[in-house]
Amino acid sequence: MKLANLRSSSRSLFQLNRINIFSYSSQTSPHQPLVRKTFFKSNTNDGGLITRLCNENKFKEAIDILCNQKRLREAIQLLYQIKQPSALVYSNLVQFCRQNHALEEGRRVHAHMKSSGFKPGVVISNRLLDMYAKCECLSDARKLFDVMNEKDLCSYNTMISGYAKVGFLEQARKLFDEMRERDNFSWTAMISGYVRYDKPLEALELYRSMQISEKSISNKFTVSSALAAASAIQCLRLGKEIHGYITRTGLDSDEVVWSALSDMYGKCGNINEARRIFDKMVDRDVVSWTAMIGRYFEEGRREEGFVLFSKLLKSGIRPNEFTFAGVLNACADHAAEELGKQVHAYMTRIGFDPYSFAASALVHMYSKCGHVENAKRVFDGIRRPDIVSWTSLITGYAQNGLPDMALEFFELLLKSGTQPDHIVFVGVLSACTHAGLVDKGLEYFRLIKEKHGLTHTADHYACIVDLLARSGRFEEVEGIISKMPMKPDKFLWASLLGGCRIHGNLELAKQAAEALFEIEPENPATYITMANIYATASMWSDVVKIRKKMDDRGVVKKPGLSWIEIKREVHLFLVGDTSHPQSKEIHDFLVEISKKMKEAGYVPDTNFVLHDVEEEQKEQNLSFHSEKLAVAFGIIATPPGTPIKVFKNLRTCVDCHTAIKFISNISKRKIIVRDSNRFHCFENGSCSCGDYW
């Protein structure tokens, strides 16, 4: 036989595009090659074994070996060497395709069944359905389902679950309603689908139907989905009903159910019951810990959240990036920088992922706590900062009196190729506002839509109105408001009111105030601002009317509160506070430094107070406002030259702002004050805000 013919015959026999090996028998001439089927390259560990099995027609065993080695394509190629593959061969191949989400390979197996004339039974058909569903190819699954001669409970459950998981709830429900019989899986798949795609009412309605059904008994997954639905609508009554059923049926021994119960009570506002259930859980994982800690922060119970986080660290369970992000965001919201630093140190010790969103939370925490140097240091350690990290740093620079740095980093963001979103533009516009860069801010506002293809949001309009109103450009403000595609919100009207206060625009102030009275009549800030505007214009009768309106509506003034942390202890001060153990020393210091301030040119401003100062306006003696008390205590309680950082719940008043500039110069201290609006960094008699806040 000619060698060329042998090669041709070899190719037609094997059809696998594999290397044919010619070996010489000791009993034949070197010129007479002995051809053996070699199905796989001989340099693989099992190449010889696979070839031997195939030569012995043990294709199933060969396919199983290849599947276990995740060599699905090679396993499927062997189908073409079998005259009539068995049901077991097809079944195993489909199962491996399903396990590996190998859609294309699964389609090839299915196609081979059709071409070979194999008629799959309900078991193999169900495996094919499951494979298509797991690969989210519901169109192929439905085609198969529709042509199946025999369908069982598993067939329907597979289709319903597949539809529900990808949000095709109408199709899932139609099949569900067609079922002659249902089991727990049927009900749970449909209920969980409704929950997953924000249809809690439909989920609860179906759950009630299941309870009525005599044949159906809920399992842990069903009640967990029902609890999630009750949580979504924050219906504690329904949640308690489900809890009662869980207790009666003995499902309360399962950790999954305990976790769902704790989550339900937490989201429905009963955090104490959520904690009671949490404490009963035996196998609490990091998800359970993180959820419970987060609930405390959401409810404003900061200390309990931090204490529970401390217990987590002692439990031996390692926090994940969600845990760290939640705690760091709480530190940012409450200006708990020292605790944030401790969390950062712990993250560094255990080797957290510097590219996770926990790193973004670190940038946010340091920025909100007024430590932009640390925020920048963390930011520099992120290889590819996400938009959250960029936004946190840019906003941090803006709020800390460094608008030029904020705008510089925004330009770096654009050069990095990161697509800006609407939130980062709020930081950019705020930077322009704090710096008084009106034309620059207007240009950025225009580019949001024209260059970056974003839609102007209500926040963008509030920022641009704030920018223009502070500069007294009220005609432009009115033009922008009249052309807004949405109704102005409370933030826009408050920005306009603040600008009117600065420039004494009484008519526009009245318009803004009326809008705010309608939107949030319980907010005392609007009443106080209007009272100040009327007082500045010597319209005393109108001041009286505003005060009376407050009394008639039961609006209560929010007291000014300042605090400072010294040696890990927080010291709180109210206006005129005398409760502090060192109250005498504080007051003596303020009396003494007031004399030096007046000698240096300080004149107390008793006429002009910002609108957030509510309670402190009653005080005739400006020397004992809460932030001054906190600053004074910080100076007497720390060594000379130590920076002072004070926090206030309201916006600092003009007189305190002026006074602290003098105090910083006389005491040779760097004094940082974070009020409700921004950071003020006082040093050598000036403030980082440039007196523009």
Side-chain angles (χ1 to χ4, degrees), residues 49 159 167 222 273 294 352 400 405 516 561 582 644:
L49 174 60
M159 288 302 302
T222 319
E273 183 65 16
F352 81 105
N400 283 277
M405 290 295 292
L516 287 168
L561 175 69
Q582 292 180 256
I644 304 297

Side-chain angles (χ1 to χ4, degrees), residues 447-668:
L447 293 177
I448 289 173
K449 191 172 184 178
E450 294 183 6
K451 182 177 179 180
H452 300 286
L454 299 172
T455 302
H456 287 131
T457 67
D459 289 334
H460 296 152
Y461 281 103
C463 286
I464 208 68
V465 165
D466 192 22
L467 177 67
L468 292 169
R470 286 171 181 271
S471 302
R473 294 165 64 163
F474 293 108
E475 288 186 10
E476 292 171 78
V477 170
E478 291 181 279
I480 284 175
I481 292 176
S482 66
K483 295 177 182 177
M484 283 178 63
M486 74 282 289
K487 190 175 180 180
D489 61 12
K490 62 182 181 180
F491 301 107
L492 184 147
W493 289 121
S495 297
L496 177 57
L497 187 60
C500 292
R501 174 195 53 74
I502 294 171
H503 297 282
N505 189 325
L506 187 59
E507 292 307 312
L508 265 184
K510 288 180 181 178
Q511 181 183 339
E514 286 304 317
L516 287 168
F517 288 147
E518 184 176 341
I519 296 171
E520 45 177 8
E522 74 288 348
N523 187 353
T526 307
Y527 301 87
I528 299 303
T529 302
M530 283 307 300
N532 285 338
I533 292 173
Y534 284 135
T536 302
S538 298
M539 299 172 66
W540 305 112
S541 61
D542 290 288
V543 173
V544 173
K545 289 177 184 177
I546 286 288
R547 296 289 185 185
K548 186 176 185 304
K549 184 180 288 189
M550 285 184 71
D551 293 338
D552 292 343
R553 294 181 177 180
V555 178
V556 179
K557 300 174 183 179
K558 188 177 181 180
L561 175 69
S562 297
W563 64 96
I564 184 172
E565 185 174 345
I566 304 290
K567 296 180 180 178
R568 297 187 180 181
E569 183 179 354
V570 176
H571 301 261
L572 301 175
F573 297 91
L574 291 166
V575 59
D577 202 340
T578 58
S579 62
H580 194 275
Q582 292 180 256
S583 179
K584 185 178 184 307
E585 294 93 322
I586 293 170
H587 283 242
D588 289 346
F589 174 85
L590 286 173
V591 169
E592 185 62 31
I593 203 166
S594 291
K595 296 176 183 177
K596 296 178 180 179
M597 288 161 57
K598 289 177 181 178
E599 291 173 0
Y602 164 70
V603 177
D605 188 340
T606 59
N607 298 317
F608 195 54
V609 183
L610 287 179
H611 68 275
D612 273 343
V613 183
E614 292 109 353
E615 186 67 29
E616 296 178 355
Q617 289 184 105
K618 295 181 179 179
E619 304 298 327
Q620 296 179 353
N621 191 345
L622 293 171
S623 298
F624 302 111
H625 278 187
S626 64
E627 56 263 61
K628 290 177 183 172
L629 294 173
V631 167
F633 174 69
I635 291 174
I636 65 175
T638 58
T642 304
I644 304 297
K645 185 178 287 187
V646 169
F647 299 88
K648 186 176 181 183
N649 65 331
L650 304 175
R651 201 170 180 180
T652 191
C653 72
V654 173
D655 179 73
C656 285
H657 191 269
T658 302
I660 296 173
K661 286 196 292 184
F662 278 93
I663 293 172
S664 73
N665 194 37
I666 294 170
S667 65
K668 304 301 179 186

Side-chain angles (χ1 to χ4, degrees), residues 63-245:
I63 287 173
D64 287 346
I65 291 172
L66 291 170
C67 286
N68 287 326
Q69 294 176 350
K70 301 188 183 300
R71 295 160 66 183
L72 271 175
R73 292 186 179 181
E74 296 167 79
I76 293 168
Q77 284 176 325
L78 287 183
L79 281 177
Y80 297 91
Q81 301 303 310
I82 310 173
K83 289 183 180 180
Q84 185 58 59
S86 67
L88 188 57
V89 168
Y90 280 130
S91 182
N92 287 350
L93 277 172
V94 172
Q95 182 72 351
F96 279 111
C97 291
R98 184 194 69 81
Q99 290 172 352
N100 292 279
H101 289 74
L103 177 60
E104 291 307 314
E105 288 78 2
R107 280 174 170 164
R108 287 182 62 193
V109 175
H110 192 188
H112 193 277
M113 290 183 194
K114 295 177 182 177
S115 64
S116 68
F118 177 79
K119 302 295 182 184
V122 68
V123 173
I124 294 179
S125 294
N126 285 342
R127 283 198 169 184
L128 280 168
L129 284 177
D130 196 31
M131 184 270 296
Y132 284 129
K134 289 288 191 300
C135 295
E136 297 186 359
C137 187
L138 275 302
S139 57
D140 283 6
R142 188 56 191 255
K143 288 176 186 176
L144 172 60
F145 181 83
D146 289 340
V147 300
M148 286 172 62
N149 293 324
E150 182 186 357
K151 303 181 184 76
D152 61 7
L153 183 61
C154 180
S155 310
Y156 277 92
N157 282 348
T158 301
M159 288 302 302
I160 290 168
S161 176
Y163 277 137
K165 284 179 180 177
V166 298
F168 294 171
L169 300 179
E170 289 184 11
Q171 294 92 323
R173 185 58 187 266
K174 186 177 180 181
L175 286 177
F176 180 85
D177 291 338
E178 290 175 4
M179 297 177 73
R180 294 179 181 178
E181 62 172 328
R182 307 180 182 99
D183 61 5
N184 279 331
F185 188 93
S186 317
W187 291 95
T188 304
M190 199 66 241
I191 292 170
S192 63
Y194 280 133
V195 172
R196 186 181 295 111
Y197 289 95
D198 299 323
K199 292 184 179 293
L201 294 177
E202 289 86 342
L204 289 169
E205 182 182 353
L206 194 60
Y207 176 72
R208 290 192 190 96
S209 299
M210 181 182 181
Q211 296 297 93
I212 295 170
S213 174
E214 294 180 0
K215 296 181 181 179
S216 301
I217 300 175
S218 301
N219 60 20
K220 63 181 180 180
F221 301 109
T222 319
V223 295
S224 295
S225 294
L227 287 168
S231 302
I233 61 173
Q234 296 185 344
C235 184
L236 184 59
R237 179 183 60 80
L238 282 175
K240 285 183 174 180
E241 287 180 12
I242 299 168
H243 189 181
Y245 173 84

Side-chain angles (χ1 to χ4, degrees), residues 219-221 223-224 246 250-261 277 281-282:
N219 60 20
K220 63 181 180 180
F221 301 109
V223 295
S224 295
I246 289 168
L251 290 170
D252 55 354
S253 61
D254 189 90
E255 291 295 318
V256 172
V257 176
W258 279 116
S259 180
L261 274 170
I277 291 171
M281 294 170 64
V282 178

